[in-house]
């Protein structure tokens, strides 16, 4: 008999109940007891939904973040909150969210900048203070944003001084962000299993076959940061006794299996970290519970031997992304150990091919017998909760597309079907298998998925790129940057240190209201268009008054930089409730790229030419690049990512060429998410960068020499991807730099980056208004590294989360600074 289990269930709730309960509590609108009750209800409901599995995860529920829960479990609270009195849950939120009175850089706000479907799309790690984020009035993009800063009031005010939030970063290559554990050389750990035991007791009372889930000691150390630069591995000896104590406590509760997550095993590990695995699990082996060491998100490769031979009762591997590991692992695995294979994709939303999976599983089942376990590839935290919600009134996915999809609840149904087929024979689930087969066939055959015209264009472009004459390659500019720059200068006539902005201007309450009313049908198309044009005109006039050199239209018509384009492309669909937790109460709703991508008609030309008609100054066309579209979507599993990316590239290329034809002289193609698509293993970086950069080049490089291409990236680590950045060959790249004091330009200097750069001169995540002298001094630092003739002056990122009252003085100072620099030049 095969055993079925789940690694983790999404906790936000099918209707984001947890989000709303948290935000209401944080605003002081509901009690702690009400929040706790919502937590209990969600856990109970989610266990119910996992009914019928042989083992169900417990401890995967969290009020904010499972890594932060682990830190609390291990008694690893940052020193700065250790003196806090009062309720433990409040203390927990203080670490999670910070409690600031001063205005500091706000992660949430940064996330709002980078956007991605309605809630918020975080882009990079940063320290979090939601307090700062609120000044912008929420995510700046649509409904899902209202929540208040942690306010100091009542007892809280005298118990605790302002405190910085824990730093946040991406959980492996997912869009989930965890609170980074903090370490220092002298620290100690102390078990506090209360939260886990509480959940365990609830599960027992409900009759759940509970399998507690914890993060393993090696991964816990690996994903944290030593504040004092000390060696994290040196803490292992102090950490292990606490894990051992925990296992004893769980054993005393009658727990048989504990799932210990060690996803770090799918990354490249040096000797010391490999050794830590052996040390850790040898020390933990004498305890009475059985350990299932779980890995996911990638391939084990040369860590397979290490995993197979750890002294534990079982291991779980990701058989979606790491399928090739499985058979070798079976041969390595000592014959008493359980092998759990994650055969259902926990990172995507497509139905599993049950026939094919059963064919693949059959010999494994034969060989392993009772030792074979089945599960999703990883925790279902990374997919939406329940597809059934999409059939509700007002939902936007049609029945055909729905029939191809499986969210968390449906994935567990698939798991049950697979197990029954293996245990009782496929006839026992004939109806289910037939239905699955029919759904897959419908997807495969659908003309909405396969578009011969798109495939023909892709083929032609492949052939053209393979051909050697550069002048005929579609991804290649006609001349080198130096030549283009001269032709562009003759047309654009810009001063030294030209000034520009990154695209968006404040998304005001009026803009959001107009969008809502339009969506609801209460504002007709003409009324909506007029409202947007009025905003565009306002942006243009403000920029002229500011005396900026290259203008933008301000992006009022965009709720979100990916969704806006996805909605206009063939091959994209949008769910209504397909929310996935990004961090804390924040969720994203990634668009679904389901079919061959094409662009039925221009997407931005009307707005851009209208904006251009209002001014003599150059107006930048503003597009989202193919790699960012891809990385912020659920994408097809029936073709490589690189192919989907190339289709996106061709569709956006059409837009670029239409803009050029319409007389637009400067076109910016944002690639905010290019870096975050880097694979977990460094050895695979180059392959990704190759196709990602090629896609960008296809999009951008079909234009004449005279057309100036900009790109924008809002992050600051370029060192290890410099060659790829240069290969994109944008005439101008604008980047985030202000907080690094221009030091990150070292990478560009060392590389002798030949094209133009606009290093951001002020941090748009903060409401602070830079003064001109600051900007001058930053640009002087920039000019020490980059030839002044190559420098532009601009903010770090778009201004959509700011207020006009902040934007105007900030840009005034920026323009004044540029004028000062010109005089000195
Ligand atoms: N053009 C976009 C804006 O200004 C860029 C956003 C981003 O880089 N995340 O909002
Ligand atoms: Zn940006």
């Amino acid at each position: 008999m095969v055993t079925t289990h789940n690694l983790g269930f999404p906790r936000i709730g099918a209707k984001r109940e947890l989000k709303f309960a948290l935000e209401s509590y944080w605003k002081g609108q509901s009690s702690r007891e009400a929040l706790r009750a919502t937590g209990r209800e969600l856990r109970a409901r989610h266990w119910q939904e996992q009914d019928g599995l042989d083992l169900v995860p417990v401890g995967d529920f969290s009020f904010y973040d499972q890594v932060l829960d682990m830190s609390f479990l291990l008694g690893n609270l940052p020193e700065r909150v250790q003196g806090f009195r009062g309720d433990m849950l409040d203390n927990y939120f203080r670490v999670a969210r910070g409690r600031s009175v001063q205005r500091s850089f706000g992660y949430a706000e940064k996330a709002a900048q980078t956007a991605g479907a309605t809630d918020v799309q975080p882009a990079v790690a940063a320290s979090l203070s939601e307090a700062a984020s609120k000044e912008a009035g929420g995510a700046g993009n649509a409904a899902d944003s209202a929540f208040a800063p942690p306010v100091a009031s009542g007892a809280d005010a005298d118990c605790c001084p302002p405190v910085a939030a824990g730093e946040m970063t991406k959980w492996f290559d997912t869009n989930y962000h965890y609170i980074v554990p903090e370490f220092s050389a002298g620290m100690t750990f102390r078990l506090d299993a209360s939260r886990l035991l509480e959940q365990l007791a609830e599960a027992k009372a409900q009759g759940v076959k509970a399998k507690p889930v914890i993060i393993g000691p090696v991964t816990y150390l690996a994903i944290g940061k030593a504040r004092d630069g000390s060696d994290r591995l040196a803490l292992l000896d102090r950490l292990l006794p606490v894990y051992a104590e925990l296992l004893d406590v769980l054993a005393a509760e009658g727990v048989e299996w504990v799932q210990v997550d060690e996803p770090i095993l799918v990354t490249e590990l040096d000797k010391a970290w490999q050794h830590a695995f052996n040390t850790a699990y040898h020390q933990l082996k004498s305890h009475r519970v059985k350990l299932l060491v779980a890995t996911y998100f990638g391939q084990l490769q040369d860590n397979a031997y290490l995993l197979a031979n750890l002294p534990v009762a079982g291991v779980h591997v990701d058989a979606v992304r790491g399928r090739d590991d499985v058979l070798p692992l079976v041969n390595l695995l000592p014959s008493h150990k359980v092998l759990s294979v994650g055969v259902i994709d926990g990172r995507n939303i497509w139905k599993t091919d049950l026939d094919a999976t059963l064919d693949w599983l059959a010999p494994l089942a034969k060989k392993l017998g009772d030792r074979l376990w089945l599960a999703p590839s990883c925790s279902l935290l990374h997919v939406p909760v329940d597809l059934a919600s999409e059939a509700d009134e007002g939902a936007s996915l049609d029945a055909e597309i729905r029939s191809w999809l499986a969210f968390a609840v449906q994935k567990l149904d698939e798991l049950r079907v697979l197990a029954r087929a293996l245990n009782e024979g496929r006839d026992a689930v004939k109806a289910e298998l037939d239905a699955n087969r029919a759904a897959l066939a419908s997807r495969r055959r659908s003309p909405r998925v396969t578009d011969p015209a798109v495939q023909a264009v892709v083929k032609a472009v492949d052939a053209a790129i393979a051909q050697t004459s550069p002048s005929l390659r579609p991804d290649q500019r006609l001349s080198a940057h130096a030549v283009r720059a001269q032709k562009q200068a003759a047309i654009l006539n810009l001063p030294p240190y030209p000034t520009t902005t990154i695209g968006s201007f404040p998304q005001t309450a009026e803009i959001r209201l107009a969008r809502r009313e339009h969506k609801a049908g209460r504002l007709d198309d003409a009324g909506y268009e007029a409202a947007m044009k009025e905003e565009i005109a306002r942006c243009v006039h403000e920029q002229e008054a500011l005396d900026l050199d290259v203008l933008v239209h301000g992006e009022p018509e965009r709720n979100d930089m990916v969704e806006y384009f996805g909605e206009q492309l063939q091959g994209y669909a949008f769910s209504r409730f397909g929310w996935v937790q990004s961090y804390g109460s924040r969720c994203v709703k990634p668009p679904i790229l389901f079919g061959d991508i094409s662009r039925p008609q221009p997407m931005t030309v009307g707005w851009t030419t209208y904006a251009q008609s209002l001014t003599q100054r150059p107006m930048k066309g503003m597009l989202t690049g193919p790699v960012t579209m891809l990385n912020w979507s659920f994408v097809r599993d029936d073709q490589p990512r690189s192919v989907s990316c190339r289709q996106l590239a061709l569709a956006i290329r059409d837009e670029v060429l239409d803009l050029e034809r319409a007389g637009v002289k400067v076109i910016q193609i944002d690639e905010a998410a290019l870096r975050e698509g880097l694979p977990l293993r460094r050895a695979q970086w180059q392959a990704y960068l190759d196709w990602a950069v090629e896609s960008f080049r296809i999009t951008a490089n079909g234009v004449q020499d005279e057309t100036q291409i900009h790109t924008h990236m809002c992050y600051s680590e370029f060192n290890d991807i410099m060659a790829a950045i240069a290969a994109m060959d944008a005439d101008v790249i604008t980047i985030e730099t202000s907080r690094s004091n221009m030091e990150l330009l070292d990478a560009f200097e060392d590389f002798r980056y030949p094209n133009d750069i606009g290093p951001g001169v002020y941090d748009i995540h903060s409401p602070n208004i830079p003064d001109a002298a600051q900007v001058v001094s930053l640009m002087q630092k920039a000019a020490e590294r980059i030839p002044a003739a190559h420098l532009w002056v601009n903010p770090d990122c778009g201004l959509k989360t700011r207020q006009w009252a902040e934007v105007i003085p900030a840009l005034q100072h920026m323009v004044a600074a540029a004028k000062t620099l010109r005089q000195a030049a």
Side-chain angles (χ1 to χ4, degrees):
M1 292 286 273
V2 322
T3 295
T4 53
H5 72 121
N6 186 22
L7 276 66
F9 195 84
R11 55 218 178 207
I12 201 77
K15 298 277 158 72
R16 287 178 296 160
E17 292 88 336
L18 180 59
K19 170 192 180 66
F20 299 119
L22 283 168
E23 291 173 4
S24 155
Y25 176 64
W26 292 335
K27 277 187 228 159
Q29 290 169 352
S30 55
S31 68
R32 194 181 303 135
E33 196 28 58
L35 176 62
R36 288 192 183 280
T38 304
R40 274 194 305 275
E41 281 157 27
L42 285 170
R43 289 192 289 272
R45 192 207 297 165
H46 295 159
W47 287 327
Q48 180 68 39
E49 263 156 348
Q50 300 175 81
D51 195 33
L53 300 185
D54 297 312
L55 289 166
V56 172
V58 169
D60 54 340
F61 179 88
S62 170
F63 276 119
Y64 203 96
D65 168 38
Q66 73 270 15
V67 178
L68 186 60
D69 289 355
M70 200 64 208
S71 291
F72 271 68
L73 184 140
L74 296 167
N76 178 19
L77 275 63
E79 221 165 277
R80 60 182 182 277
V81 300
Q82 276 174 11
F84 284 0
R85 299 187 301 274
D87 184 79
M88 211 39 194
L89 188 59
D90 288 343
N91 213 5
Y92 171 85
F93 288 137
R94 275 179 213 118
V95 181
R97 312 175 61 224
R99 193 182 143 282
S100 83
V101 287
Q102 82 279 26
R103 300 176 146 180
S104 61
F105 167 63
Y107 175 82
E109 191 169 329
K110 165 151 192 121
Q113 279 295 325
T114 53
T118 326
D119 195 333
V120 155
Q121 174 90 41
V124 293
S127 61
L128 167 76
S129 162
E130 285 178 0
S133 82
K134 287 311 93 205
E135 304 155 68
N141 52 358
D144 195 38
S145 54
F147 63 108
V151 205
S153 65
D156 205 29
D158 31 72
C159 105
C160 323
V163 62
E167 182 180 326
M168 231 189 240
T169 198
K170 279 162 79 72
W171 176 242
F172 293 83
D173 63 346
T174 71
N175 217 335
Y176 179 80
H177 298 70
Y178 68 93
I179 308 255
V180 178
E182 297 176 33
F183 302 120
S184 59
M187 69 183 298
T188 52
F189 300 94
R190 189 174 43 82
L191 183 67
D192 173 4
S194 54
R195 185 196 62 95
L196 188 55
L197 290 178
E198 185 188 328
Q199 294 185 23
L200 195 57
E202 283 168 31
K204 272 195 204 159
Q206 198 176 321
V208 171
K209 290 166 255 168
K211 174 196 57 175
V213 180
I214 56 175
I215 295 167
V218 185
T219 294
Y220 182 73
L221 288 175
I223 63 171
K225 250 193 191 168
R227 288 273 160 236
D228 54 0
S230 60
D231 175 19
R232 284 163 293 163
L233 276 180
L235 298 172
L236 188 62
D237 286 344
R238 253 175 272 166
L239 190 56
L240 291 174
V242 181
Y243 272 86
E245 199 186 334
L246 171 66
L247 298 182
D248 285 341
V249 169
L250 294 175
E253 292 295 319
V255 165
E256 186 187 3
W257 282 94
V258 177
Q259 174 187 320
V260 189
D261 287 0
E262 292 282 14
I264 201 74
L265 277 164
V266 306
T267 67
E268 285 127 343
L269 295 176
D270 65 23
K271 284 271 163 313
W273 286 92
Q274 291 179 358
H275 185 69
F277 269 101
N278 283 318
T279 309
Y281 289 91
H282 274 96
Q283 274 206 42
L284 298 178
K285 79 175 171 201
S286 56
H287 294 271
R288 281 173 295 154
V289 287
K290 296 180 186 159
L291 301 186
L292 180 80
V293 172
T295 68
Y296 38 78
F297 298 151
Q299 302 140 0
L300 292 167
Q301 295 188 4
D302 48 0
N303 295 329
Y305 183 85
L306 176 66
L307 175 64
N309 291 296
L310 290 179
V312 294
V315 301
H316 168 88
V317 293
D318 182 334
V320 176
R321 294 192 172 184
R323 179 150 299 194
D324 296 343
D325 294 333
V326 177
L327 295 182
L329 195 68
V330 172
N331 296 325
L332 289 173
L333 205 66
S335 63
H336 59 279
K337 288 186 191 172
V338 157
L339 177 63
S340 163
V341 289
V343 286
I344 290 167
D345 194 348
R347 295 288 299 276
N348 213 330
I349 37 104
W350 305 106
K351 271 189 179 153
T352 308
D353 184 337
L354 296 179
D355 282 328
T357 306
L358 284 170
D359 292 345
W360 181 78
L361 282 170
L364 272 186
K366 206 167 195 182
K367 186 156 183 181
L368 293 168
D370 287 348
R371 293 164 53 217
L372 178 66
W373 288 20
L374 286 189
S377 60
C378 59
S379 167
L380 297 175
L381 180 65
H382 311 291
V383 291
V385 182
D386 188 358
L387 189 63
S389 309
E390 298 296 325
D392 290 359
E393 204 189 323
S396 46
L397 286 176
D398 58 72
E400 185 183 26
I401 290 184
R402 278 202 317 270
S403 78
W404 305 337
L405 304 180
F407 291 177
V409 168
Q410 289 69 38
K411 285 175 187 287
L412 295 178
D413 289 338
E414 294 184 335
L415 188 62
R416 293 182 190 97
V417 172
L418 288 173
R420 278 191 69 193
L422 290 176
N423 290 338
E424 301 164 34
R426 296 195 198 192
D427 281 348
V429 282
K430 187 173 179 316
E432 288 87 344
L433 292 180
D434 285 347
N436 177 263
R437 216 169 287 133
L440 262 65
S442 133
R443 181 175 164 209
R444 222 174 285 125
R445 276 197 313 263
S446 169
R448 297 168 73 189
V449 173
T450 310
D451 181 341
V454 172
Q455 302 202 346
V457 176
V458 170
K459 237 195 183 140
V461 167
D462 286 347
I465 287 180
Q467 84 123 283
T468 43
S469 161
S471 62
L472 295 172
R473 284 179 56 156
D475 64 332
Q476 187 91 29
R477 295 293 293 260
L478 299 170
S479 310
H481 170 71
V483 177
R484 299 180 331 239
Q486 275 182 12
K487 296 189 189 176
Q488 292 160 16
I491 293 178
L492 297 173
N493 227 333
L494 299 170
Y497 291 104
T499 54
T500 191
T501 61
I502 306 305
S504 55
F505 271 87
Q507 286 264 331
T508 59
E510 298 84 69
I511 296 176
R512 288 201 294 264
L513 178 69
R515 186 158 40 244
R516 250 197 328 272
E517 294 293 296
H518 184 230
K519 238 185 172 149
R522 289 187 293 264
L523 178 65
D524 65 9
D525 290 354
Y528 177 72
E529 193 180 323
M532 294 302 119
K533 282 189 162 169
E534 200 176 306
E535 276 300 327
I536 291 173
R538 173 184 186 180
C539 286
V540 173
H541 294 143
E542 294 291 2
Q543 292 173 87
E544 287 203 319
L546 285 160
D547 203 15
L548 284 155
D549 299 308
V550 175
L551 310 195
V552 297
H553 78 289
E555 306 179 27
E557 78 289 7
R558 299 183 192 177
N559 43 349
D560 168 273
M561 63 187 284
V562 170
E563 193 169 88
Y564 177 76
F565 290 96
E567 277 174 347
Q568 300 187 74
L569 291 171
Q570 209 75 254
Y572 257 110
F574 296 83
S575 67
R576 174 127 188 266
F577 296 105
W579 298 100
V580 179
Q581 193 174 9
S582 176
Y583 67 87
S585 68
R586 294 288 181 129
C587 300
V588 294
K589 187 154 64 70
I592 299 168
L593 192 165
F594 70 88
D596 287 339
I597 294 289
S598 60
R599 186 202 64 146
Q601 59 213 350
M603 305 182 282
T604 63
V605 176
W607 301 120
T608 313
T609 51
Y610 170 71
Q612 181 68 82
S613 75
L614 302 175
T615 179
Q616 299 297 319
R617 301 177 191 231
M619 176 62 59
K620 263 198 285 195
M622 193 58 60
L623 305 172
T624 301
V627 187
T628 298
M629 294 289 296
L630 185 88
N631 285 343
W632 284 347
S633 304
F634 279 124
V635 297
R636 298 170 65 167
D637 61 351
D638 58 349
Q639 68 185 20
R641 291 173 78 81
S642 57
V643 175
S644 298
C645 196
R646 182 167 288 212
Q647 292 183 357
L648 284 163
L650 285 163
I652 305 165
R653 174 189 175 96
D654 289 347
E655 187 72 13
V656 170
L657 296 178
D658 275 347
L659 283 170
E660 183 180 54
R661 223 167 282 138
V664 178
K665 299 278 183 288
V666 184
I667 300 169
Q668 176 173 315
I669 304 162
D670 291 326
E671 284 292 16
L674 187 127
R675 196 177 204 289
E676 67 180 68
L678 286 170
L680 287 172
R681 286 177 178 269
R682 278 207 171 234
Q684 294 164 358
W685 279 23
Q686 198 51 48
Y688 162 76
L689 288 171
D690 284 349
W691 61 252
V693 168
E694 185 166 276
S695 286
F696 180 87
R697 291 170 57 99
I698 289 171
T699 299
N701 288 356
V703 295
Q704 300 303 306
D705 283 348
E706 288 76 5
T707 302
Q708 187 168 75
I709 297 289
H710 290 217
T711 190
H712 165 70
M713 295 178 186
C714 32
Y715 39 79
S716 42
E717 308 113 84
F718 288 96
N719 271 311
D720 42 12
I721 57 167
M722 218 37 244
I725 300 296
M728 289 165 72
D729 199 19
D731 294 302
V732 183
I733 181 171
T734 55
I735 53 178
E736 172 185 319
T737 29
S738 68
R739 284 175 308 121
S740 82
N741 212 7
M742 296 291 153
E743 271 157 27
L744 82 90
L745 286 180
D746 291 351
F748 288 81
E749 183 187 13
D750 293 347
F751 194 82
R752 294 177 196 283
Y753 182 77
N755 302 8
D756 287 7
I757 310 175
V761 293
Y762 79 91
D763 176 13
I764 53 79
H765 309 105
S766 137
N768 295 337
I769 291 161
D771 58 44
Q774 267 172 317
V775 174
V776 169
S777 123
L778 278 172
M779 285 307 297
Q780 282 166 344
K781 288 206 178 84
E784 285 163 15
R785 296 169 165 92
I786 308 290
H790 291 187
L791 286 173
W792 286 61
V793 183
N794 47 261
D796 268 351
C797 193
L799 302 166
K800 70 174 169 192
T801 57
R802 297 263 61 92
Q803 316 274 344
W804 275 106
E806 297 155 352
V807 164
I808 299 279
L811 292 178
Q812 271 167 351
H813 299 169
M814 187 186 92
V815 172
K819 289 179 179 168
T820 308
L821 290 160
R822 283 170 203 159
Q823 270 163 10

